[in-house]
Amino acid sequence: MTTGGIVIMILSVGTVTTLFGWCIWKVLTTPSETEKVHGPGLQHTPDMDNKE
Amino acid sequence: MSSHTGKHESWGSRLGVIMAVAGSAVGLGNFLRFPGQAAQYGGGAFMLAYAISFLIIGLPIGWAEWTMGRAMGQRGLHSAPGMFAHVTRVSWGKYLGIMGIIIPVVIYMYYVGIESWCLGYAVNFLRGGLHLGTAADSGAYFSSFVGMGEDGGAMRFSPDSMLPWLLVVFVVNFFFIYRGITKGIETVCNWGMPALVILAGIVLVRVLTLGTPDPAQPDNNVSNGLGYMWNPAKVVVERLDGGTWKTERQVVGDPMIARAKSEIAGDATRRVREISVLEQLMRPQVWLAAAGQIFFSLSVGFGVILCYASYLKARDDVVLSGLSASSANEFCEVGLGGLITLPAGVAFLGLAGVAGQGTFGLGFNVLPLVFNKMPAGWLFGAFFFFMLFLAAVTSSLSMLQPGIAFLEEALGVGRKASVAILGAITAFGTGFIAWFSKDLKALDTLDFWIGTFLIFVLATVQIIVFGWVWGTDRGFREMQHGAAVRVPGIFRIIIKFVCPVFLLFVFVMWVVVNVFGINLAGGAAEVSSYVKDLFVKPDKIAWLSVSFVVVFAIFLALLIARARVYRHSEFNRE
């Protein structure tokens, strides 16, 4: 295996491994948009109108 | 129109859908086809063309499919006929969607057979039942296992024949598809994909630590195997033939190159030559091979991503999910497949043993021999073929879902009925292909016309519909909706102009080379054997195979025509 071969191999394998690792990390750490939409928010209740 | 089917299935988690799409993409091609293509077309040069193809074909078409699929799913449409009818807004648009059903269902019919070979080889390795001493033994075993000698040759109830394994994998597939999106497909992929990566990791460590297994043959080593795969400049021995230099063989490593030079010394008709990266990139074949590999590897144009994405919720991300599924596929292909198959083959059989082998030759003739020669090869052989089986089963499940979704929509039936109908259709098709096994003619014919030609057509239609009919503005708005990461603006231009043009170029070149048989490297043109089988010297099995697909297409067209859900007025009612 030549030096060029080693460089190409490390670049190729390194790039796809890094991209895959980043994607998995991003997926696991980003809250789902669906959860945001349906998540508990501040509800407007009648007692709020009576607060002074 | 809120929902056409009434019952709305959806994915259990974002990771689940990513695993499912990645599972659909990761298949035998990652471990068997990719290494052969990369080595044949020049390692470094191939990888450059491959990376560019990934950016301008793989990612954009994938994102387009994810986006259209999710948008159509919100309208209760889960299969291609309804999706195309809705997007094109023309009455014949729904018939374009026939391709989105035919492709996965017909590919399933032969793919499940290949899946059964993987399971059969895995279990037979584990039983210690594979003792293949020579390449001739290995070839004869494979031929007998799949029945290449005569039609019906594999229809034996023996562990050394595909029939029992075919029955097992057929039932397994339908068991999980019947359980549905979450309990079936998602569960299999959530377990199967990590298991596949672990098994591949174990085999990878074994292969990379092989060194030089036989000191009497120092050229046969892992380093030369990696060099054969990854070296950017290729060194070849060429022979002068009729005024042109033709490649005789490739040589890797200083000792082998030195021997080749001394061998040809004084012979004016032979020479040793280094082919640079630039020279390789100037060859259209390299681009065609790289684009083709990206295209088929990522499962774009199958109609599967459209279907899977239709079970997402309205604000579920498609951009990061599409990128993640594609990167998982690339990791398995480049990071695992690129380091296992050829180094193992070269370490035991040398360059001559692996050069020029196709997907089946490498997987079922060369590698079983390699595992036979390897210490504890029965275990690593079982791991490797079980890993291929997992890769295949996650793919075959994905090929069934578009058919299930279509039958549920078109006939208005539940999952039980649609699974039963599709089970009957695919059992007939699979039986047809398994029976007509002589020279694998039925499988080969269908793989060419449906598994290659029609996929190109569907992918081209999809990207034109997304970029030009739907429009990139609407498409991009839809794509960015709920996205966890932003898509760079350059992809607007890529999707609208670059991708369709590049895809059409690759398709035309593919037809020129593979249908009309024109040799891009020069030399006489000879029409492809697939065309000959149909029109020049008609072959009964080839004609029966194509006729079967035509009848199936007519059946689908009739179902679409009578289905109220696909009537044009239904879409205008929104």
Side-chain angles (χ1 to χ4, degrees):
Chain A
M1 194 180 196
T2 61
T3 309
I6 294 171
V7 171
I8 295 286
M9 183 180 78
I10 291 174
L11 268 179
S12 302
V13 176
T15 304
V16 294
T17 307
T18 307
L19 178 64
F20 178 52
W22 179 82
C23 285
I24 293 297
W25 170 80
K26 189 78 181 164
V27 166
L28 294 176
T29 55
T30 306
S32 162
E33 290 295 328
T34 309
E35 284 164 20
K36 280 184 200 166
V37 172
H38 298 296
L42 188 62
Q43 303 286 315
H44 184 86
T45 52
D47 60 313
M48 288 178 176
D49 299 331
N50 299 332
K51 280 189 178 173
E52 290 176 6
Chain B
M1 177 166 24
S2 59
S3 172
H4 287 296
T5 53
K7 186 179 160 191
H8 188 74
E9 282 193 284
S10 64
W11 296 100
S13 68
R14 180 195 283 177
L15 199 59
V17 63
I18 291 169
M19 287 289 187
V21 175
S24 166
V26 175
L28 270 65
N30 295 57
F31 298 95
L32 303 179
R33 190 174 186 272
F34 168 74
Q37 293 279 299
Q40 186 180 348
Y41 292 102
F46 178 87
M47 288 311 296
L48 189 60
Y50 181 86
I52 291 171
S53 301
F54 176 72
L55 290 175
I56 64 177
I57 290 187
L59 264 186
I61 303 180
W63 275 334
E65 283 198 47
W66 277 85
T67 306
M68 273 170 62
R70 183 188 61 179
M72 295 301 112
Q74 300 313 305
R75 292 160 177 83
L77 296 166
H78 298 287
S79 75
M83 293 184 188
F84 279 105
H86 192 277
V87 174
T88 60
R89 301 269 168 182
V90 290
S91 56
W92 51 267
K94 57 193 174 189
Y95 296 105
L96 285 175
I98 290 177
M99 289 186 287
I101 310 299
I102 281 189
I103 290 172
V105 172
V106 172
I107 291 178
Y108 172 84
M109 292 172 186
Y110 62 79
Y111 199 81
V112 74
I114 301 168
E115 197 175 310
S116 74
W117 306 348
C118 299
L119 182 63
Y121 269 63
V123 178
N124 284 333
F125 260 113
L126 209 55
R127 293 167 61 232
L130 282 179
H131 300 289
L132 310 167
T134 64
D137 292 341
S138 186
Y141 182 83
F142 176 66
S143 178
S144 164
F145 191 90
V146 305
M148 281 177 75
E150 58 175 334
D151 288 335
M155 297 296 109
R156 292 172 285 124
F157 271 100
S158 155
D160 295 316
S161 171
M162 73 181 276
L163 180 62
W165 309 111
L166 181 60
L167 294 175
V168 170
V169 296
F170 199 89
V171 170
V172 165
N173 271 285
F174 272 89
F175 171 74
F176 284 111
I177 204 73
Y178 174 68
R179 286 171 60 87
I181 295 283
T182 312
K183 287 183 182 169
I185 297 171
E186 197 170 334
T187 303
V188 171
C189 294
N190 278 345
W191 286 93
M193 289 304 289
L196 180 154
V197 171
I198 291 168
L199 286 175
I202 293 170
V203 177
L204 175 64
V205 170
R206 172 70 277 206
V207 167
L208 293 183
T209 53
L210 283 170
T212 308
D214 183 359
Q217 291 180 305
D219 286 338
N220 296 358
N221 59 59
V222 171
S223 174
N224 277 355
L226 289 170
Y228 177 57
M229 167 86 200
W230 295 102
N231 282 352
K234 298 289 169 194
V235 181
V236 293
V237 178
E238 293 181 326
R239 177 187 288 278
L240 194 59
D241 183 10
T244 53
W245 288 97
K246 290 189 176 166
T247 301
E248 202 174 84
R249 68 178 198 274
Q250 189 178 331
V251 282
V252 177
D254 291 338
M256 212 191 295
I257 294 170
R259 263 202 316 284
K261 281 181 177 167
S262 69
E263 184 190 311
I264 64 161
D267 184 351
T269 63
R270 294 167 84 202
R271 67 179 182 184
V272 173
R273 191 169 75 90
E274 185 176 294
I275 307 175
S276 69
V277 174
L278 197 62
E279 186 183 339
Q280 292 174 77
L281 282 174
M282 298 300 282
R283 295 176 172 175
Q285 301 99 303
V286 173
W287 291 91
L288 189 59
Q293 180 60 32
I294 274 293
F295 187 73
F296 295 113
S297 174
L298 287 173
S299 287
V300 289
F302 267 60
V304 167
I305 300 175
L306 275 179
C307 178
Y308 271 8
S310 73
Y311 296 99
L312 290 170
K313 296 183 183 78
R315 282 189 61 81
D316 280 347
D317 157 86
V318 291
V319 178
L320 179 61
S321 301
L323 183 64
S324 302
S326 301
S327 70
N329 179 70
E330 292 312 305
F331 172 72
C332 290
E333 182 153 292
V334 179
L336 299 173
L339 298 180
I340 291 176
T341 315
L342 288 182
V346 172
F348 285 99
L349 305 174
L351 284 186
V354 299
Q357 293 282 347
T359 303
F360 292 162
L362 203 54
F364 297 96
N365 291 347
V366 172
L367 288 177
L369 263 186
V370 167
F371 290 120
N372 259 290
K373 291 174 185 284
M374 191 184 284
W378 61 275
L379 184 63
F380 290 104
F383 280 174
F384 182 80
F385 281 102
F386 194 70
M387 175 201 76
L388 289 187
F389 168 70
L390 287 176
V393 79
T394 50
S395 301
S396 61
L397 279 175
S398 74
M399 295 167 197
L400 290 172
Q401 185 57 32
I404 299 282
F406 169 72
L407 291 170
E408 286 177 348
E409 262 174 31
L411 299 176
V413 296
R415 196 164 191 90
K416 193 182 279 186
S418 62
V419 166
I421 297 167
L422 192 67
I425 294 170
T426 52
F428 178 79
T430 303
F432 170 87
I433 294 163
W435 177 265
F436 291 112
S437 58
K438 188 170 188 299
D439 300 329
L440 301 180
K441 180 62 87 177
L443 186 160
D444 203 25
T445 303
L446 292 172
D447 185 45
F448 183 82
W449 291 113
I450 305 299
T452 312
F453 181 82
L454 204 59
I455 287 180
F456 266 126
V457 178
L458 180 58
T460 309
V461 167
Q462 274 178 183
I463 201 69
I464 290 172
V465 163
F466 185 85
W468 292 86
V469 180
W470 230 31
T472 39
D473 285 343
R474 182 180 175 187
F476 250 71
R477 265 201 317 276
E478 189 70 48
M479 194 187 289
Q480 304 281 24
H481 190 64
V485 290
R486 307 292 295 174
V487 177
I490 185 79
F491 276 95
R492 276 175 189 266
I493 298 166
I494 291 177
I495 287 177
K496 197 168 180 81
F497 301 105
V498 182
C499 183
V501 169
F502 190 64
L503 197 56
L504 280 170
F505 167 74
V506 171
F507 183 35
V508 169
M509 294 298 283
W510 181 87
V511 169
V512 163
V513 172
N514 294 287
V515 176
F516 297 110
I518 291 168
N519 187 351
L520 296 177
E526 188 183 356
V527 76
S528 138
S529 63
Y530 302 101
V531 177
K532 278 185 190 167
D533 281 346
L534 294 180
F535 304 111
V536 181
K537 193 180 171 191
D539 179 272
K540 186 182 78 178
I541 307 307
W543 265 104
L544 275 175
S545 306
V546 172
S547 304
F548 170 69
V549 174
V550 171
V551 170
F552 184 42
I554 292 170
F555 169 69
L556 293 176
L558 290 173
L559 287 186
I560 290 170
R562 68 169 288 281
R564 186 173 167 273
V565 71
Y566 298 140
R567 283 188 194 146
H568 200 221
S569 55
E570 286 288 301
F571 299 114
N572 293 333
R573 223 183 265 170
E574 273 185 285

